[in-house]
């Protein structure tokens, strides 16, 4: 990667940034002297409250809340344009937005937010940042889950969307595309984390589903701060196309070789 990566003077977009891991990422990146962080969320009240707080700490030009339903391509495109029109560049996109629901009638909503929106945002980010598109390169991080690594009968749609995020990122993050775009793309698979996403309704199924996803790992619930620090570390050091597990309040673990070996074994049996 050459020189050590830093957030100084970077323009960043974080989806799902009004609360939880997203808001933690916004705070942390701003504290590392980013030029500007724009965060997207449908939660207008939470987003505006956080924006006022962060403006008081970092200044008006440093942060911007954009109310946006990431599953709405028109709204997402408008959010990207708003950032680009103001700062004329984009350096990092973190696709963090996700929902988890037990409502059978809302499964399409989960697919749209958790997966389809990640595809749209990734494509928009590549168009804005790619060297081959007139940009200066950059970083895309797509947030998946340890449930992408192991089937879960209790959360089948959520698990499937996160597996799709992992496979999509691994398939698009080719060395050929990277050589043209100079945009690094990575996947982070989060273990159970203390956020509003894990209500009592889902926490047991989520925790149990993550247990033994990776050898010697359990499903200890991690702090939001640990997840945030792990994602920041991945942005700073990870290679294009790599996959990382962030769980148990421990540093990120590179599982790229294991993921690719699993695919190779399956392909050899086909």
């Amino acid at each position: 990667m050459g020189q050590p990566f830093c957030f100084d003077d970077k323009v960043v977009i974080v989806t799902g940034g009004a609360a939880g891991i997203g808001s933690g990422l916004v705070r942390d990146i701003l504290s590392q002297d980013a030029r500007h962080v724009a965060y997207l969320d449908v939660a207008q009240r939470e987003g505006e409250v956080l924006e006022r707080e962060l403006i008081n700490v970092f200044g008006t030009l440093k942060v911007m809340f954009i109310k946006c339903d990431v599953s709405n391509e028109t709204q997402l495109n408008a959010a990207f344009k708003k950032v680009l029109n103001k700062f004329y560049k984009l350096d990092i996109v973190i696709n963090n937005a996700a929902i988890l629901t037990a409502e059978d009638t809302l499964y399409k909503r989960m697919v749209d937010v958790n997966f389809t929106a990640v595809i749209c945002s990734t494509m928009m980010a590549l168009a804005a940042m790619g060297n081959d598109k007139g940009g200066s390169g950059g970083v895309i991080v797509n947030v998946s889950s340890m449930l992408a690594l192991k089937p879960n009968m209790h959360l089948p749609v959520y698990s499937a969307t996160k597996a799709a995020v992992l496979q999509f990122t691994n398939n698009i993050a080719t060395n050929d595309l990277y050589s043209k775009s100079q945009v690094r793309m990575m996947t982070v698979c989060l273990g159970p984390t203390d956020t509003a996403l894990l209500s009592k309704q889902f926490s047991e199924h989520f925790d149990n589903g993550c247990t033994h996803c990776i050898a010697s790992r359990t499903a200890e619930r991690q702090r939001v701060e640990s997840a945030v620090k792990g994602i920041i570390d991945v942005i700073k050091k990870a290679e294009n196309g790599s996959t990382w597990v962030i769980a148990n309040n421990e540093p990120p673990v590179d599982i790229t070789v294991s993921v690719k070996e699993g695919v190779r074994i399956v392909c050899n049996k086909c």
Side-chain angles (χ1 to χ4, degrees), residues 28-83:
D28 196 305
I29 294 169
L30 284 169
S31 72
Q32 298 191 49
D33 295 322
R35 180 179 177 186
H36 180 80
V37 180
Y39 60 99
L40 285 46
D41 210 297
V42 291
Q44 184 167 354
R45 184 180 67 82
E46 292 86 346
E48 291 176 347
V49 168
L50 179 62
E51 183 182 47
R52 288 193 295 269
E53 175 193 335
L54 295 176
I55 285 174
N56 287 335
V57 176
F58 299 101
T60 305
L61 295 178
K62 286 284 190 176
V63 63
M64 174 170 57
F65 166 61
I66 303 175
K67 184 180 179 183
C68 176
D69 179 351
V70 294
S71 69
N72 183 312
E73 189 170 352
T74 300
Q75 290 186 26
L76 187 61
N77 188 53
F80 270 75
K81 284 186 176 179
K82 188 171 186 178
V83 175

Side-chain angles (χ1 to χ4, degrees), residues 148-191:
L149 306 169
K150 182 179 185 296
N152 186 300
M153 62 180 290
H154 300 290
L155 302 172
V157 178
Y158 178 84
S159 300
T161 61
K162 290 303 184 177
V165 168
L166 172 61
Q167 292 301 322
F168 165 70
T169 310
N170 285 345
N171 278 280
I172 195 172
T174 63
N175 290 332
D176 181 59
L177 180 58
Y178 176 66
S179 68
K180 297 175 182 176
S181 69
Q182 290 300 296
V183 177
R184 284 186 296 134
M185 290 181 276
M186 299 85 72
T187 312
V188 294
C189 297
L190 299 181

Side-chain angles (χ1 to χ4, degrees), residues 123-223:
M123 295 304 187
M124 290 177 190
L126 283 169
M129 298 191 294
N131 268 355
D132 54 334
K133 305 294 184 180
S136 301
V139 178
I140 300 171
V141 176
N142 291 334
V143 179
S144 181
S145 165
M146 285 178 68
L147 292 185
L149 306 169
K150 182 179 185 296
N152 186 300
M153 62 180 290
H154 300 290
L155 302 172
V157 178
Y158 178 84
S159 300
T161 61
K162 290 303 184 177
V165 168
L166 172 61
Q167 292 301 322
F168 165 70
T169 310
N170 285 345
N171 278 280
I172 195 172
T174 63
N175 290 332
D176 181 59
L177 180 58
Y178 176 66
S179 68
K180 297 175 182 176
S181 69
Q182 290 300 296
V183 177
R184 284 186 296 134
M185 290 181 276
M186 299 85 72
T187 312
V188 294
C189 297
L190 299 181
T193 308
D194 278 323
T195 67
L197 188 71
L198 284 189
S199 64
K200 292 181 179 178
Q201 183 179 9
F202 303 114
S203 59
E204 182 179 353
H205 294 323
F206 196 100
D207 292 350
N208 290 340
C210 286
T211 300
H212 306 311
C213 281
I214 303 297
S216 79
R217 284 185 169 267
T218 60
E220 175 187 346
R221 193 75 60 85
Q222 70 182 346
R223 299 182 301 275

